[in-house]
Amino acid sequence: MDFYAFLFFAEEIKLFKYKNELFLAIMFIDKEEARTIPVAMNSFITKYDIDWGAMSAATFLSVIPTLILFAFAQKYIVEGMTQGSVKG
């Protein structure tokens, strides 16, 4: 059971690492249906203005799946984070 908690935590770290490569995604994704959420949210930013209403709504909607995942996997996330921190 502890191995699965560690594996889940390692996958979460990997997910956050690749999620933050916004610059590369903006440069290389040219199809609109292939865009990720951060790349699509970048389209709300123009040269002289930012559509704050749409940006806030998109941010709220993009956080909901993460919160649901965390609610169901909280036990495994905490086990994976603390697995190597205590002796014994």
Side-chain angles (χ1 to χ4, degrees), residues 21-68:
E21 293 186 359
L22 176 65
F23 182 69
L24 292 175
I26 290 172
M27 287 178 42
F28 295 122
I29 296 177
D30 51 352
K31 294 181 184 177
E32 188 168 327
E33 61 270 1
R35 288 196 281 174
T36 60
I37 293 174
V39 174
M41 287 175 58
N42 194 44
S43 67
F44 296 129
I45 302 172
T46 61
K47 187 172 183 178
Y48 298 109
D49 192 28
I50 298 175
D51 188 2
W52 288 109
M55 180 79 78
S56 299
T59 303
F60 179 74
L61 291 175
S62 68
V63 168
I64 290 174
T66 306
L67 292 176
I68 292 172

Side-chain angles (χ1 to χ4, degrees), residues 1-3 6 9 13 15 17-19 26 34-36 48 50 53-54 56 58 60 63 65-66 71 75-76 79 82:
M1 188 68 165
D2 290 333
F3 176 72
F6 174 75
F9 181 67
I13 295 296
L15 172 76
K17 175 185 173 192
Y18 291 115
K19 180 184 168 196
I26 290 172
R35 288 196 281 174
T36 60
Y48 298 109
I50 298 175
S56 299
F60 179 74
V63 168
T66 306
K75 175 184 173 188
Y76 301 109
E79 281 182 14
T82 60

